[in-house]
Amino acid sequence: MLYVIYIYLGLLLTSYLFKKFTPIFFPFCEHLDNMNLIGKIPPEICHLSKLTSLSLEKNKLFGTIPHTISKLTNLYWLNLSMNKLTGPIPDQFSSLIRLTYLSLDNNQLEGKLPSNWGQKYKNLRTALLHNNKFVGNVPWQWGTISTLKQLSLQNNDLKGRMPDSICSYAGHGAVSDDKYGNAAFLEADCLKDDGKLDFICECCTLCCNQTVCHQY
């Protein structure tokens, strides 16, 4: 049985919280969405090693994502969206090989997208990375994530072109209609803005610029 813990008080998110609330109290699942939590995600989060689901959406968390989160290797669901997290995605993130759902959207994360996800993630179905400050190209290696159903990259500073390796399996329409397990939703900044187009995607189901999005 999965235990879902909701804390209804505004808490200061410190290392004390994660030292005291050990896996005895959070055996599998910790959902602390929209709890007005303030502070950094402490490195001691790694002590909750049995977690399979962790959601800290819609709080006031800031600072970088601690690399120790990579020790939560049982996670299949991770949601850190709608906070004020900064810095790059830790290199060690690829250790979370059981992930099926990843949401890092609506933060201030930056740097390049990790290329090693293509080698490590064999179960990932959803990757929400929109509304951040990611730069560079979309790694062609991500085209090997054959389980991917939704990839959301809009409202970043990505350049270049959506790799053919991703477009080759990108589909259109509802996930339930996608017979071959291909990506059904692919979203990026592929709509011209003031006559300029910094990112090209010929297979996206949603193209955006700074003011509007068009669905295809």
Side-chain angles (χ1 to χ4, degrees), residues 13-56:
L13 186 62
T14 63
S15 58
Y16 176 82
L17 174 66
F18 286 93
K19 285 178 180 178
K20 292 298 182 182
F21 292 96
T22 66
I24 295 175
F25 299 98
F26 296 123
F28 299 113
C29 187
E30 184 176 348
H31 287 194
L32 299 171
D33 299 338
N34 199 20
M35 306 306 300
N36 201 34
L37 300 178
I38 303 172
K40 296 182 177 181
I41 301 175
E44 289 82 1
I45 194 172
C46 65
H47 295 312
L48 304 178
S49 58
K50 293 185 179 180
L51 282 180
T52 58
S53 178
L54 174 62
S55 186
L56 298 170

Side-chain angles (χ1 to χ4, degrees), residues 60-180:
K60 298 177 182 179
L61 307 179
F62 56 85
T64 59
I65 300 174
H67 67 87
T68 55
I69 204 170
S70 63
K71 295 184 179 181
L72 303 180
T73 54
N74 289 310
L75 282 180
Y76 67 85
W77 181 289
L78 178 59
N79 186 351
L80 303 179
S81 66
M82 296 187 182
N83 285 288
K84 297 181 180 180
L85 299 173
T86 57
I89 298 174
D91 292 337
Q92 298 88 344
F93 225 69
S94 59
S95 298
L96 303 176
I97 59 175
R98 289 184 172 87
L99 279 182
T100 61
Y101 180 93
L102 174 62
S103 180
L104 302 177
D105 57 278
N106 291 286
N107 281 289
Q108 300 171 26
L109 298 172
E110 57 190 16
K112 294 184 177 182
L113 299 174
S115 61
N116 60 359
W117 285 11
Q119 298 172 331
K120 299 291 187 178
Y121 290 163
K122 303 302 181 183
N123 302 297
L124 189 64
R125 294 173 59 88
T126 299
L128 306 180
L129 305 173
H130 56 277
N131 293 341
N132 280 291
K133 299 179 181 180
F134 294 119
V135 299
N137 299 318
V138 178
W140 64 266
Q141 294 91 337
W142 287 17
T144 64
I145 309 176
S146 59
T147 55
L148 198 59
K149 294 286 187 181
Q150 183 174 11
L151 176 59
S152 182
L153 299 171
Q154 69 269 27
N155 295 326
N156 282 289
D157 293 317
L158 300 171
K159 308 293 183 183
R161 177 185 293 269
M162 187 68 70
D164 291 340
S165 58
I166 295 178
C167 282
S168 64
Y169 68 77
H172 293 259
V175 172
S176 59
D177 294 334
D178 190 12
K179 178 178 179 181
Y180 301 103

